[in-house]
Each structure stands twice: as C-alpha cells, then as structure tokens.
Amino acid sequence: MSLNKILELDNKTITDEPAKDKSDLPWYFLKKLMMNNVTARNTCISESQNDTLNPLDLITALFLCSDGFVQQDLVLKMSMCQFSVPLLLPNCDTKQCTLMLWAMRDIVKKYRPPDLSESKGFIEERIVTSELPMVSFVRLGECSMSKSEILNKLLSNSQQNHDTFVHRNMECGDSPRVISNGLTEMTWYLPCGNKNMDIFSEPVAIANLRGDIASFETQFSFLCQTSAAVFVFFDELEQLESQLELLANKNHKAKIFLVGNQQNKNLSIDAFKRLANNLGKTNILIKQKQTNDATFIKGLRKAIGDVVYDPQMKISVEKMADIAHELGIEVDEDSKECQEGKKNADAITAEIKDIFEYKEEQFPLQGQIWKELTFLEKEEFRLRNVGSENIENYKSNLRMKKEEQRQKQNTYAVSDVMARFIKAISSPERERGYFLKWVRMNLDDLSQEKLSGLRVKYKEKYSDSEHKQEIKEIDQQLSNSSLGVEHFFREMGQIYEASLSLPETDPSRQQLQHLPKLCAQLLLDGFPLELVDGDASNIPLRWVSDVLYQLNDLVSPKNKIVVVTVLGVQSTGKSTLLNTMFGVQFAVSSGRCTRGAFMLLIKVNEDYRNILNCDFMMIIDTEGLKSPELAQLDNSHEHDNELATLVVGLSDVTIINIAMENSTEMKDILQIVVHAFLRMKEVGKKPRCQFVHQNVSDVSAHEKNLRDRKLLLEQLNEMTQAAAKMEKREKNKKFTDVMEYNPDTGNCYIPGLWNGNPPMAPVNAGYSEAVYELKKNIIQLLGKCGSTSNNILEFIEWITSLWKAVKHENFIFSFRNSLVADAYMRLSTEYNKWEWEFKKEMYTWVTNAETRISNFGTVAATSDTSDMEGFISELKSEALKELMKLESIILEKLKKYFEQPEGHVYLVEGYREDFSNSIKSLRGQTERSVFNQLREAADIKQGKQELDKIKTSYTEKIEKAVCALIDECQSSEVEPMQIGHTRLTSEERLRSSAAPSTQSPASRQEADPPDLSSVPPDYHDLAPVFSFVLEGGQVKPSEDKIKAVLDWPTPENRNPSKPEALEELCL
Ligand SMILES: Nc1nc2c(ncn2[C@@H]2O[C@H](COP(=O)(O)OP(=O)(O)OP(=O)(O)O)[C@@H](O)[C@H]2O)c(=O)[nH]1
Ligand SMILES: [Mg+2]
C-alpha cells in the first residue's frame, strides 16, 4: 500500500457512513488517522455486533501491508494522537518480527527536563536517536489485570485520561487478537517541566508486549536486553515456576519486577516471595486485595522512578538495532533501498559544518546572483529607477545585465554535492524516496539545534514589538541557518534555467534536459515542490513551467486540476491545518518556517473525478504573512503582497486562516487579498474563499460570532469599496461582488490543536473534526463549481501571466494602509521642509532685488541698463534662473529621498509624481508672485521719479511766486519775514523752509506740523503740498491728482476755496 493511494480523494473522503463490514475498517481507520483523529481506533462495525476486529489486529495488518513511507507516516500520525506505536512488528506468517526503526525515524519530540524548567528552554530531539531509559511491561500466562489499562492510567495524570494503549475495556478492545500477538508497542513519557504536573521528571520510554512471553521469547529477550526494567505481570505461581529459566536468564540487563495480583485467590504471597528469592529477583509488586488501582499505580510509578535514573540503562532505539540483529530480529532499515538512500544522503550531508558557508559554496547559483536576477526581472517591469533615461535604453540595459548574471551562473560548474544529489534522485522510485527522506531528516537534525533556539527567541520577541531590530536579526539568522531539501531543488532549478541561455547543442545544456521530468515525477509521487522562492521572492518561471509541462505529459489526458491554497499570518497553524486536512506533510514548526510557497499534488480517484471535476488537487502552502509591524522591518510586505496576489489568483478555493489572537493583523492582510481578488475578477476569475478562525472552541462560537461575522463582512465590503476606488473599478461595491463568499457557510471555527498540555497532549478530537467539516465544505464547493477547472497547461499559463502581472504591479495602492500613511506622512514632512527652504531663499532674493530697484538710477547702483523696464526684465530673467536652480535642488532632494533604503519610500512611489508636480507648481506660483513684487517695486520707484519731477516743477513755481511776493513786499516796503531771527533774501527763505528733513519716515509722521506763523495766510494751504513733495511721499499719486497739483493756481489767479483733490492726496 502506498501513501499516494491512502491520500487519494475518493467517495469515502467526505461520507460519514459507518463501516458496514470488516473490509471497510482499514480505510476508516486510515481516513481518521490521517486527519489526526484520536477516535480512529474505534473499529466497530455498525450492523453486526459479532463480526468485530481488534484494533491491534487492524494496526498490525496495516503495517504489514504498507511500505516504509506509509509506515513512517502512520507512526507519525499515531504519535501525534498519543497512540502507542509498534516497536516490534510480528508477522504471523513468517513467525518473525521486525524492529520498526525506520518507521519511527520521523518522530521529533519536544520536552522540558527539570534543569531547563527555570529557563523555559526545551529539548527537541528525533526520538529514535535520543538515549532514554526504557521500561517494559510483559505478561506471563493469563492475567486478570489489564496491563494496558494500568499503563494508560500510569501515563495519564488525574485530569486527563487518555488511552495510549488499546485495552480490553475499549470499544472492540475485547475482541480476540488474531495476528497482533507478539506486537511490542512503544510510547514515551515526556515531562513538561512543571513539578506538579509531571509524573516523571525525566523522559521515559515505555514498551508493552502483547501476548504471553512464553510464546514470544525473542521479543521478551529483546526487551530484557534493552530495558532498564521489565515488569512481568502474572496471575498463577505455576506459570512462574514453569518459566524459571526464561526469567533467570543471565544475559538480561534489565531489572525484573514481578507483578502479582492478590485479587486472584490462588496467589499465596509467601510462596511467591520464596519463589522470587530463589530466582534472585527481589523486586516484587503485589496488588493486594484492598488496594485500589490508584494506590497500585502510585507504587508502580515509584518503582519506575527508582530505576530510570541509572544513566547506564539508557539506550536509543537506533542502538537497539544491534541487539535486534543479535537476536535474529529484522530491522526495517536493513532493506537495500533504505541503506542505499542513507549512504547517498550521508555522503551529501556529512560535509556540512557551517550551514551558511555550505550554502555559499555548494549553491552559488541561488545566492546573490539569483537575488540580483530577481531584482532585474522586476525592475524591467516596474522601472522604478528609470529616472530621465530613455525607457527602451533602460530596459535593454537591464536585459543585458540579466544576460550577464546568467552567464555568471554558467561559469560555475555543477557543484559536487549537486551532482551527487541529481544522481541520487535519478535512482529508482523507492530508493529515491528513501534518499529524499534521509536527506530531509539529516538536514533537519543539523539545523534543529541551531534553529530551535532561534525560533524560541523569535517567538519570545515576536510578541513584543519593541524588539524589532532583534527580530530582524533573528529572522536573518533563521534564514541563514536553515537548510532543507528545497535548497537543493532551488539550485537545480537555477542550474536548469541558466543552462537555457547556452546554445541548444551545448552538451552541458543537454545533460540537464531530463531534470524537469524528474521533478514532475516527484510531484506525482506526492513530494512538495517549491513554487515561489521565499528568500529571493521570485518564481523560477522557466523551471516551474517546464516541470509542469512534463507533468502534463506524464498524466495527459487526465490533466485537470483544482487548486486549494491557504493564506494567513505567520505561525498560525496553516501548514498544520493542511496536513490535518489532507494527511500530507508540509513542514511544520514553531518559528517562521514555511518560506515562499510549496505545491503538492493529490490524486483524485477515478470514480470521484466526475464529482470533483478534476483529476488532481493541487494544494499550495504559503509562507506566513508578516504582521504589519514586522513587515516594516525588512520591507517584506512587498513580498507578502506578491505572494498573496499570486496564490489567490491561482487558487479555486483560498483558505484564509485567522488565529483569534491576531485578527487585527489579518485585517491589514485582507486588504491585500481584496485587491488581489478584485484584479482576479477583472481577468474573469471569481475565486472562492473560506475563512477559518482558529482556537475558537466554544460550542456557541458559530452563534455568538454572528455579530462578528456581520462585522467582518461589513469590513470586507468597506475594503472592497476602498480597493475598488483605488483600482478605479467602482462598480464593485460588496465583497461578494469580487468573491464567492457566503458569510454563513464561509466561516469555520476550529478549536485549539492540543487536548491538554503538550508534550503529552494528543490532538484534540474537536480540532480534527472541525477540519474534517472544513474539508467537506471545500470539496463540496469545488464539486459545485461546474467544469471550470483548469488543466495543467492552463495552470502554467495562469502562473506565467499572473506572475508577469505581479511583476508589473507597482503595488502603489495595495500596500497596507498604515504603512502607506506612515510613509506618506514622512514624505510630506520632508517636503514641507524643502518648501520652506525654497520660499526663504526666494524671499531673500526678492528683498535684495527690491533694494536694487529702489537704488536704481542712483550713483551707487551700477547697472548696464539705463531704463527701468530693461532693468526689470533683467531682474526677471535673474529670478527665473534662481527659481530654476531652487526647483532643481528640491527635485534632487525628492529623488534622493526615494533612493534611501529606510522609510518605506517606495510605498509612496505613487505619490512621487504628485510631489514633483507640487514642486513645479510651487515654482510657478512663486514666479508669479516674484514678478508682481518686482513690478510693484518698479512702479513705486517710477512714482517717486514722477514726484521728483512734480517737486522740481513746483519748486520752480513756488520760487517764482515767492520771488514775486518778495518783490511785491519790497516794493510796498513791508518788513521781511522773520525766520530764526535772521534776515534772509526771498530765495534763501524759500530754500530753508523747503530743506528736506533728515528724519526717518516713521518719526516724520509724528513730527509737529510746520510752523506757519510767519507765512502769510494766503500760502498756508500749500504747506501740505510742500511737506508731501519734499518728503518724497511713498504713495503713488494718480494722474488726475498730479494734474490737480500742477493746476493748482498761483497766488495771482488763485481761487480762495480749498481744492478737495489736494486734501485727499495729502492723507
Ligand atoms: N496551541 C496550538 N498550537 C498550534 C495550533 N495550530 C498549530 N499549532 C502549533 O503551532 C506551530 C506552528 O504551526 P505551523 O502549522 O507550522 O504554522 P504555519 O502557519 O504554517 O507557520 P508558517 O508557515 O511559519 O507561517 C506548530 O508547532 C504547531 O504544532 C493550535 O491550534 N493551537
Ligand atoms: Mg507553514
């Protein structure tokens, strides 16, 4: 039985009908186990009560018919459910048994021993390699006590009773065992580091042999040589007596505890003690008549507690293989394929000392060069740095650079490691499977040490937004020290892509032609392949599409696929959800684990193809989107956006995973998704989505959250409107316009994953059931959608065009609002500063220019032009020059601003044009106002000149009049005017009264009116004219007012009434 067959989607996948006969049972068990359902072992048949099957027989049978990969998967799922797993698997046909070392290899457990409880640290180990004390439980003859039930109680704490071992009081547990006698099961007790909860403070392995040791001596010997203690349960003394030889074997390392039950009336304690003494075994435990189970278990725990501290008695399952070999027990890892795979894998991973260096050395193509290529590819579409360069030139330049990078890639010979890797995956299917598993496990072990510490740190800091810088560093370290099989495939993709730039006849190109087919085969085997490289944030498009073309060739004409993807904030259990739902194995861990996006194929059974309208289901697991705060650190929102847009675009159903704790973060991300959905609609695709709310366990969740769902829908509608406005698609008013989404059925509430306190907690049955409901929903949804599903070729088209669109997208509008707002604010503040500087400079210039205008024509001013208009136009061109200079300075500043790495400047890239337009209009405005100011200053200057003229002409007139007056006086012998007690001639008098004031204009206003006491009353009216004219008035008089002044009659022909115009002029 192969894994592909088990994971296949068929008509049993979503039916809830109970098993009708025995032949249904294995499939029901597998279906439930693959979904981590703890009720999987209930193997009752609904219709007949007699026709029952012991769960142990079922498990044994399944293991016997499975290949190594299925066995490994079964064991992994069983251990997640905290079921015991087979250690020694009996084969009733050959009477042989097998040590299930390979099957257990994939289990990795975490626990916290007492010395780490302070620091909250933990140990993460591959369980088969960790040295642990083992305690075994066996039975001799018939036994009235249920050993397995006692063991279950021994391992459960008071508030949590879990059936680790199948026991007779379980559903169908009492049906007779047929093939499972001799089965030895194993489980582990792992402490959580809390004294009050831990049963044993150190980890302990527990083994349980099914059947009578008298019939399974090999298994018993194996246990006695590997365990620290063996507890032999028995009822009858005679049985002990008959097996003295077996019990007294000197080769046995383990302490033997004889466990009797006094409730069996035949057991005489004295006789028992005597016998034990004779045997040299002093360790006896008796369940007396009056002791209840709890007390008995307490004694048992104490006995175990005492033996497990001996460091000599610790052994790993891996080391048990030697003992097994000695005893003639087969080890599953002995198979040729497995050994060959291991050898090849070790040859590759043995060289690794420092992961970072290893990657640099062995994978040169995917390092900096690939990142550079990614940048060039995107820049070719986005043209962010084109500046004033000709676009076509710029593009061809970029293409040339790309070509150079490809050539650079081709200068590297295929590294040693890669050559070995490619050779190994070219081996036959089973060997290749083993090889890939071995490589994965070896690499996991290598990075585990380093990563687990980093991940814990990451999680600690993650919750605290103050440690942004540290998080960024840890994230970088995580990425540097992680090395997985995907890196090998990534390198393979790059080698392949680079080879395509070589001539077709080039032998090194031809040698690589088979790689896509190899990977297509792997996809068909159910191996996850990287679609988006999370580190470079790019899709190796040629590589991916060639792999898919090959896949198409392999499966044609059955090439229809549907795509299911998951999207959500990081570490919210997305991979766990998919693994549970489809039984697959995407990488799961507690740090930032999934990078980029991985695709995996699941076959659809022939009979189910009509219903689901497809031949394959493609599942895409994506990297967790970062929370907006974290995204700010390394600008990963761009990557997140690209990823979200792409996967939403590709999928038929998108699962949007929301952990209750971070639903606010999710809202930001939903905005991206809405944009993505909106664009999908434009290309004629209306995707469906399912919201999954994790960690909601209340039964009333669905009811209670009605309001929340409504709110969510309202928010989604709001986002849709906002997004539609930004994308200029205003007719989309509601979320349901862009998505197939039903608020009632489109939400699924999933309780927490663990039932109890890890590491001893099994998966919560509620979790598994809720995920099953979701799976049903999704499959029904897909079934309903008619024959819209694409075939693989169309899928390739989709990826290509979507990725092109994504690369084209400047994402101006699709960024998270908070970030854009933040970036925009920064730019505005900066812009205000520049604007202020610009205005200040111009103000200074204008003041200076005004002074120059007012000095124009004076001796001090030196100007080439003699007329004012000429001077003004000279100033104007100077102003223009100045403005241009300042404008280019500010534009340069804007350019520099967009070049800096911090501040998420590219987020506001879309506003760049607006800002440069603002700069231009600032220049325009300032230009107009400067010109006006120059004009005004010139006008004032001209007004002054005009007035000077008036002054001169008036002076002459007045002079004349005064001379005439003086002459008149002299001729009529009137006493001359007394000014300052000096006798003056008429001309001197006039001049002295008209002498310009040296006072400042301000003080002039406050100066006393001129003393006119000695002036004849006839001339008093002219005094304001004098003072105005002589003081060089600042107000430019209008033409008619000037005329009024000039027409002012001389004393001879003056009208005695005062002219009004003059009064106004003087105000
Ligand atoms: N307590 C609890 N733990 C969970 C739940 N779901 C998943 N986990 C654990 O959370 C960890 C992360 O789960 P993953 O499935 O790797 O999360 P992810 O969302 O795929 O993570 P990334 O791919 O790194 O973004 C694993 O250790 C899971 O066992 C849950 O509902 N409750
Ligand atoms: Mg994941």
Side-chain angles (χ1 to χ4, degrees):
M1 196 167 50
S2 70
L3 203 53
N4 257 349
K5 182 78 193 149
I6 296 175
L7 300 181
E8 212 175 69
L9 296 171
D10 58 21
N11 45 19
K12 293 198 202 79
T13 309
I14 59 164
T15 52
D16 289 322
E17 270 182 47
K20 289 207 181 67
D21 58 58
K22 269 188 188 169
S23 63
D24 285 341
L25 288 176
W27 294 109
Y28 279 86
F29 172 79
L30 285 173
K31 176 179 151 183
K32 288 207 160 176
L33 185 66
M34 283 296 149
M35 296 194 73
N36 294 326
N37 196 324
V38 282
T39 63
R41 291 179 306 192
N42 300 349
T43 52
C44 268
I45 299 164
S46 59
E47 280 159 15
S48 79
Q49 289 301 317
N50 308 327
D51 196 14
T52 55
L53 182 65
N54 189 298
L56 286 175
D57 279 343
L58 177 65
I59 292 171
T60 311
L62 277 173
F63 272 90
L64 285 172
C65 342
S66 309
D67 65 18
F69 308 108
V70 177
Q71 288 178 345
Q72 208 174 51
D73 215 35
L74 291 180
V75 164
L76 195 65
K77 304 263 147 108
M78 286 168 84
S79 98
M80 268 190 91
C81 292
Q82 296 290 345
F83 294 167
S84 57
V85 299
L87 173 71
L88 296 175
L89 183 75
N91 183 335
C92 55
D93 291 339
T94 59
K95 304 280 178 237
Q96 276 277 340
C97 67
T98 313
L99 177 71
M100 305 298 276
L101 174 58
W102 167 256
M104 284 191 216
R105 269 227 186 250
D106 221 7
I107 308 180
V108 174
K109 292 268 186 189
K110 282 185 230 169
Y111 61 90
R112 183 175 294 146
D115 49 327
L116 289 180
S117 65
E118 274 293 293
S119 62
K120 295 270 176 274
F122 63 86
I123 290 181
E124 188 172 1
E125 277 179 330
R126 193 167 293 284
I127 205 84
V128 292
T129 54
S130 57
E131 306 255 331
L132 301 176
M134 183 159 88
V135 182
S136 301
F137 292 80
V138 298
R139 139 175 96 80
L140 183 58
E142 283 308 311
C143 183
S144 53
M145 241 189 315
S146 167
K147 175 169 52 73
S148 303
E149 207 172 356
I150 295 279
L151 274 177
N152 289 338
K153 286 186 183 162
L154 180 99
L155 292 171
S156 303
N157 54 28
S158 49
Q159 80 274 30
Q160 201 180 2
N161 208 349
H162 175 68
D163 289 333
T164 308
F165 294 97
V166 172
H167 60 91
R168 64 174 82 140
N169 288 325
M170 239 168 89
E171 215 172 298
C172 300
D174 52 348
S175 31
R177 284 199 298 259
V178 183
I179 56 167
S180 54
N181 283 318
L183 173 71
T184 308
E185 294 165 279
M186 193 177 198
T187 192
W188 297 268
Y189 180 81
L190 302 168
C192 66
N194 182 328
K195 267 203 302 246
N196 301 331
M197 287 169 78
D198 285 337
I199 295 167
F200 305 111
S201 56
E202 296 286 342
V204 182
I206 311 275
N208 181 18
L209 172 64
R210 305 292 182 157
D212 186 349
I213 49 171
S215 332
F216 299 101
E217 284 183 25
T218 324
Q219 278 93 330
F220 179 61
S221 300
F222 174 82
L223 292 178
C224 288
Q225 290 188 41
T226 50
S227 312
V230 176
F231 289 79
V232 184
F233 284 60
F234 71 97
D235 265 5
E236 312 279 341
L237 271 184
E238 297 81 62
Q239 285 164 338
L240 272 186
E241 279 159 356
S242 65
Q243 295 299 333
L244 284 181
E245 210 178 309
L246 186 65
L247 292 172
N249 189 330
K250 292 278 175 292
N251 285 337
H252 292 168
K253 233 173 56 183
K255 275 189 187 156
I256 306 277
F257 285 77
L258 300 174
V259 187
N261 185 1
Q262 213 195 3
Q263 268 139 353
N264 180 349
K265 293 165 197 76
N266 299 337
L267 185 70
S268 139
I269 295 199
D270 291 338
F272 172 41
K273 281 186 177 162
R274 231 177 297 123
L275 183 73
N277 246 342
N278 289 350
L279 265 172
K281 311 274 179 203
T282 48
N283 302 312
I284 52 172
L285 281 171
I286 299 165
K287 187 173 182 233
Q288 287 171 346
K289 272 184 193 145
Q290 62 276 26
T291 43
N292 66 3
D293 280 358
T295 325
F296 176 66
I297 283 162
K298 219 169 157 187
L300 209 54
R301 281 180 185 166
K302 185 168 179 314
I304 297 172
D306 291 342
V307 290
V308 294
Y309 289 106
D310 185 355
Q312 300 288 317
M313 304 307 276
K314 292 184 179 173
I315 187 168
S316 66
V317 181
E318 211 172 29
K319 293 210 179 109
M320 289 179 194
D322 298 335
I323 298 169
H325 285 139
E326 282 166 24
L327 292 170
I329 299 175
E330 276 178 28
V331 180
D332 59 355
E333 272 182 12
D334 289 345
S335 76
K336 197 177 138 282
E337 290 108 340
C338 182
Q339 285 306 316
E340 199 60 30
K342 181 175 165 54
K343 203 179 78 199
N344 289 336
D346 288 350
I348 285 176
T349 55
E351 290 174 21
I352 306 175
K353 298 207 169 54
D354 181 291
I355 292 181
F356 184 62
E357 276 173 23
Y358 183 83
K359 283 204 281 192
E360 295 268 293
E361 243 167 62
Q362 302 292 342
F363 307 141
L365 271 59
Q366 64 181 266
Q368 206 45 47
I369 307 184
W370 173 225
K371 290 202 178 118
E372 182 65 29
L373 265 168
T374 302
F375 168 77
L376 292 171
E377 258 177 42
K378 289 187 182 168
E379 183 60 16
E380 200 182 326
F381 286 96
R382 294 181 185 170
L383 304 173
R384 279 186 184 160
N385 302 333
V386 61
S388 53
E389 208 178 322
N390 176 307
I391 290 184
E392 280 316 310
N393 286 352
Y394 184 67
K395 276 189 178 176
S396 75
N397 225 336
L398 289 175
R399 276 193 285 266
M400 244 165 58
K401 281 190 193 155
K402 255 169 54 182
E403 212 37 56
E404 278 167 23
Q405 294 296 334
R406 283 292 184 208
Q407 276 167 15
K408 208 163 147 194
Q409 283 188 326
N410 277 325
T411 55
Y412 291 99
V414 173
S415 73
D416 223 22
V417 160
M418 277 314 293
R420 274 190 224 155
F421 185 81
I422 293 174
K423 184 160 172 264
I425 59 165
S426 312
S427 51
E429 187 185 335
R430 290 174 64 79
E431 196 181 311
R432 171 176 63 209
Y434 276 109
F435 164 75
L436 284 171
K437 278 255 161 164
W438 276 114
V439 175
R440 208 201 72 211
M441 290 191 290
N442 287 355
L443 294 177
D444 278 357
D445 290 351
L446 273 170
S447 24
Q448 209 158 54
E449 248 174 74
K450 199 149 191 185
L451 290 188
S452 64
L454 283 173
R455 282 186 190 139
V456 174
K457 260 202 221 159
Y458 187 89
K459 262 210 159 167
E460 269 168 21
K461 310 272 172 180
Y462 179 67
S463 46
D464 190 349
S465 53
E466 277 178 19
H467 297 111
K468 286 182 183 168
Q469 198 51 40
E470 286 168 67
I471 298 173
K472 192 175 163 183
E473 278 162 23
I474 298 172
D475 200 37
Q476 191 54 45
Q477 285 173 16
L478 265 174
S479 154
N480 286 345
S481 17
S482 60
L483 174 60
V485 184
E486 70 270 15
H487 290 95
F488 289 83
F489 282 103
R490 206 183 276 174
E491 190 70 6
M492 215 157 106
Q494 285 308 305
I495 293 176
Y496 178 77
E497 287 207 334
S499 81
L500 293 179
S501 62
L502 296 172
E504 260 181 57
T505 47
D506 195 307
S508 43
R509 175 171 172 169
Q510 284 173 342
Q511 272 167 18
L512 300 167
Q513 290 306 302
H514 68 292
L515 293 183
K517 189 163 184 188
L518 218 59
C519 282
Q521 191 56 53
L522 280 172
L523 258 178
L524 262 189
D525 295 347
F527 191 84
L529 270 194
E530 192 174 68
L531 173 67
V532 181
D533 171 352
D535 290 325
S537 196
N538 196 2
I539 301 181
L541 213 48
R542 259 316 279 279
W543 165 247
V544 170
S545 44
D546 283 359
V547 170
L548 292 173
Y549 278 124
Q550 290 297 333
L551 178 72
N552 186 59
D553 287 352
L554 286 174
V555 299
S556 267
K558 295 176 178 163
N559 61 355
K560 268 187 167 182
I561 55 169
V562 289
V563 186
V564 176
T565 55
V566 67
L567 207 64
V569 176
Q570 66 182 95
S571 277
T572 47
K574 295 179 298 301
S575 307
T576 312
L577 181 76
L578 288 183
N579 289 352
T580 311
M581 194 157 11
F582 298 106
V584 292
Q585 275 191 45
F586 285 116
V588 166
S589 204
S590 49
R592 197 167 193 229
C593 187
T594 313
R595 280 290 212 161
F598 289 84
M599 51 183 174
L600 185 147
L601 275 188
I602 292 186
K603 245 193 211 124
V604 177
N605 189 287
E606 297 276 350
D607 353 324
Y608 207 50
R609 288 184 180 169
N610 311 343
I611 298 167
L612 212 52
N613 279 316
C614 64
D615 306 300
F616 291 94
M617 183 183 272
M618 179 172 281
I619 307 171
I620 301 182
D621 183 25
T622 59
E623 169 178 336
L625 305 172
K626 279 193 168 184
S627 61
E629 273 163 35
L630 286 181
Q632 274 185 3
L633 293 175
D634 53 1
N635 302 331
S636 62
H637 35 273
E638 184 167 302
H639 169 62
D640 286 358
N641 275 314
E642 291 174 357
L643 199 67
T645 312
L646 179 86
V647 296
V648 167
L650 288 179
S651 58
D652 292 293
V653 174
T654 309
I655 302 170
I656 297 171
N657 193 44
I658 308 178
M660 261 345 213
E661 319 61 282
N662 45 25
S663 57
T664 35
E665 287 172 5
M666 199 57 212
K667 273 179 202 134
D668 256 352
I669 285 154
L670 279 178
Q671 296 184 16
I672 308 165
V673 176
V674 171
H675 275 280
F677 287 154
L678 200 67
R679 287 185 209 136
M680 285 316 107
K681 199 192 163 197
E682 290 305 310
V683 286
K685 198 166 176 172
K686 200 171 175 185
R688 279 153 282 263
C689 78
Q690 275 282 336
F691 285 89
V692 172
H693 306 263
Q694 295 238 14
N695 294 333
V696 197
S697 50
D698 202 335
V699 271
S700 60
H702 198 80
E703 274 302 304
K704 256 201 208 146
N705 291 322
L706 185 75
R707 230 191 87 241
D708 287 352
R709 281 204 300 282
K710 252 179 109 180
L711 198 69
L712 176 70
L713 187 66
E714 270 167 30
Q715 282 169 341
L716 287 171
N717 286 342
E718 219 172 275
M719 287 173 202
T720 313
Q721 278 167 22
K725 210 161 134 197
M726 281 193 217
E727 306 240 357
K728 305 215 170 17
R729 314 261 184 269
E730 272 100 336
K731 56 182 185 298
N732 298 295
K733 294 263 185 283
K734 297 195 296 281
F735 185 62
T736 43
D737 289 341
V738 288
M739 282 303 280
E740 290 279 352
Y741 164 71
N742 178 342
D744 289 324
T745 55
N747 281 283
C748 166
Y749 296 87
I750 297 184
L753 174 67
W754 302 114
N755 178 20
N757 198 26
M760 288 309 285
V763 172
N764 185 356
Y767 178 86
S768 166
E769 289 292 343
V771 173
Y772 177 55
E773 283 301 315
L774 176 64
K775 183 178 183 178
K776 280 204 282 193
N777 255 349
I778 289 176
I779 290 183
Q780 276 161 1
L781 208 64
L782 288 171
K784 265 190 248 158
C785 70
S787 58
T788 55
S789 64
N790 308 318
N791 61 33
I792 297 174
L793 294 176
E794 282 171 45
F795 182 71
I796 302 171
E797 288 289 304
W798 262 115
I799 296 185
T800 318
S801 54
L802 263 171
W803 191 239
K804 210 163 158 186
V806 164
K807 282 197 283 195
H808 231 293
E809 183 58 81
N810 250 318
F811 285 103
I812 301 157
F813 27 68
S814 59
F815 286 99
R816 293 163 198 169
N817 279 349
S818 45
L819 274 180
V820 181
D822 186 30
Y824 189 81
M825 283 269 288
R826 273 178 226 226
L827 176 57
S828 299
T829 319
E830 205 61 20
Y831 178 79
N832 286 343
K833 260 194 252 162
W834 304 333
E835 190 181 24
W836 167 243
E837 271 161 26
F838 181 98
K839 285 187 171 163
K840 203 173 71 184
E841 284 289 315
M842 242 15 242
Y843 178 75
T844 320
W845 187 91
V846 169
T847 320
N848 197 358
E850 278 174 342
T851 319
R852 283 168 67 196
I853 293 174
S854 83
N855 289 343
F856 181 74
T858 61
V859 197
T862 50
S863 170
D864 297 341
T865 35
S866 51
D867 74 299
M868 180 59 97
E869 279 316 309
F871 184 54
I872 289 297
S873 58
E874 189 183 301
L875 278 180
K876 275 187 181 170
S877 69
E878 246 184 80
L880 276 180
K881 246 193 242 162
E882 186 68 18
L883 281 164
M884 297 286 255
K885 189 182 92 193
L886 290 176
E887 184 190 354
S888 66
I889 290 177
I890 193 166
L891 280 171
E892 185 61 31
K893 280 182 183 162
L894 184 72
K895 189 167 157 246
K896 283 256 165 57
Y897 185 84
F898 275 96
E899 274 165 13
Q900 63 175 0
E902 326 80 54
H904 313 296
V905 290
Y906 50 84
L907 281 190
V908 281
E909 187 72 38
Y911 300 106
R912 186 178 183 152
E913 204 50 43
D914 292 358
F915 276 87
S916 65
N917 286 341
S918 300
I919 294 169
K920 284 181 192 128
S921 79
L922 172 70
R923 204 247 305 133
Q925 270 174 10
T926 322
E927 190 183 303
R928 276 191 296 280
S929 107
V930 165
F931 284 8
N932 284 342
Q933 276 171 292
L934 290 177
R935 184 78 263 155
E936 257 170 37
D939 284 349
I940 288 170
K941 179 70 191 172
Q942 276 172 334
K944 261 193 207 168
Q945 283 171 339
E946 213 70 78
L947 282 170
D948 278 344
K949 273 188 213 152
I950 301 171
K951 187 181 82 181
T952 325
S953 87
Y954 244 98
T955 313
E956 273 168 26
K957 278 188 187 178
I958 292 167
E959 218 170 312
K960 239 195 226 157
V962 171
C963 289
L965 176 70
I966 290 169
D967 292 342
E968 200 182 313
C969 287
Q970 272 173 350
S971 61
S972 57
E973 307 233 338
V974 179
E975 266 302 297
M977 274 187 286
Q978 204 71 38
I979 296 172
H981 310 286
T982 318
R983 267 187 97 85
L984 300 170
T985 64
S986 58
E987 274 174 41
E988 279 169 333
R989 276 183 214 136
L990 180 66
R991 231 169 263 133
S992 79
S993 69
S997 163
T998 48
Q999 283 171 306
S1000 70
S1003 53
R1004 228 179 287 144
Q1005 277 177 4
E1006 288 142 27
D1008 295 329
D1011 181 10
L1012 301 174
S1013 54
S1014 55
V1015 179
D1018 265 354
Y1019 288 95
H1020 280 195
D1021 283 341
L1022 278 174
V1025 179
F1026 279 126
S1027 57
F1028 176 75
V1029 170
L1030 296 176
E1031 279 164 22
Q1034 292 290 314
V1035 185
K1036 189 200 165 200
S1038 61
E1039 292 283 337
D1040 49 349
K1041 283 179 186 169
I1042 292 171
K1043 198 161 175 287
V1045 173
L1046 293 176
D1047 292 342
W1048 181 244
T1050 50
E1052 305 90 284
N1053 51 6
R1054 181 157 33 110
N1055 186 327
S1057 67
K1058 199 162 80 177
E1060 278 176 23
L1062 190 66
E1063 212 174 36
E1064 268 180 55
L1065 177 76
C1066 303
L1067 280 175

